[in-house]
């Protein structure tokens, strides 16, 4: 059973930066396993933000964040990071990290979420 715990959310002004962390524990990842970041704004559906392949480190981004956000991982610390720069008010949401231990693009494990609020 994989457990995920997000941290690092908060309130920031537009143009500012935040770094989210996702501590991953338990379970086993296949070589194709992924950890992803998703977000959900009030009244909107949850959307994909970024993902990283646990072994190879390949990264994937939503078009809306590409060039502003960077996903990375520290395997020694079992932690995945989301560095968010040039934040916009529309980035305001609850951010969740999730794990796909097999690599089938199905995220079976989710953290509790962390709030990110970007003021204009």
């Amino acid at each position: 059973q994989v457990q995920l715990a997000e941290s690092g959310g908060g309130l920031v002004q537009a143009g500012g930066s935040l770094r989210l962390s996702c501590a991953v524990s338990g379970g086993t990842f296949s070589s194709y396993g992924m950890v992803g970041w998703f977000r959900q704004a009030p009244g909107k559906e949850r959307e994909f933000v970024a993902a990283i392949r646990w072994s190879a480190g390949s990264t994937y981004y939503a078009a809306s964040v590409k060039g502003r956000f960077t996903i990375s991982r520290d395997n020694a610390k079992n932690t995945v990071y989301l560095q968010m720069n040039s934040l916009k008010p529309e980035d305001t949401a609850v951010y969740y990290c999730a794990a796909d231990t097999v690599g089938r693009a199905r995220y079976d494990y989710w953290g509790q979420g962390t709030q990110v609020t970007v003021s204009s």
Side-chain angles (χ1 to χ4, degrees):
Q1 192 80 1
V2 178
Q3 291 87 41
L4 306 118
E6 304 95 335
S7 60
L11 173 65
V12 64
Q13 288 189 331
S17 299
L18 279 176
R19 188 178 80 158
L20 305 183
S21 299
C22 175
V24 182
S25 60
T28 302
F29 283 78
S30 77
S31 58
Y32 297 101
M34 306 278 287
V35 174
W37 285 97
F38 295 77
R39 66 187 181 187
Q40 188 166 20
K44 295 187 177 182
E45 293 188 354
R46 185 172 59 201
E47 64 174 356
F48 169 79
V49 175
I52 187 165
R53 207 169 291 281
W54 190 252
S55 293
S58 308
T59 58
Y60 308 87
Y61 295 94
S64 59
V65 306
K66 200 167 187 179
R68 299 189 298 125
F69 291 10
T70 302
I71 189 170
S72 62
R73 88 242 189 271
D74 184 334
N75 284 5
K77 295 183 178 180
N78 286 340
T79 300
V80 173
Y81 303 100
L82 185 68
Q83 177 68 43
M84 306 186 294
N85 299 329
S86 302
L87 282 161
K88 305 175 182 180
E90 51 263 43
D91 294 316
T92 295
V94 178
Y95 283 71
Y96 300 89
C97 67
D100 165 15
T101 57
V102 178
R104 296 177 298 184
R106 189 179 77 184
Y107 291 84
D108 292 323
Y109 304 96
W110 293 82
Q112 81 286 355
T114 186
Q115 176 71 46
V116 171
T117 303
V118 184
S119 63
S120 58

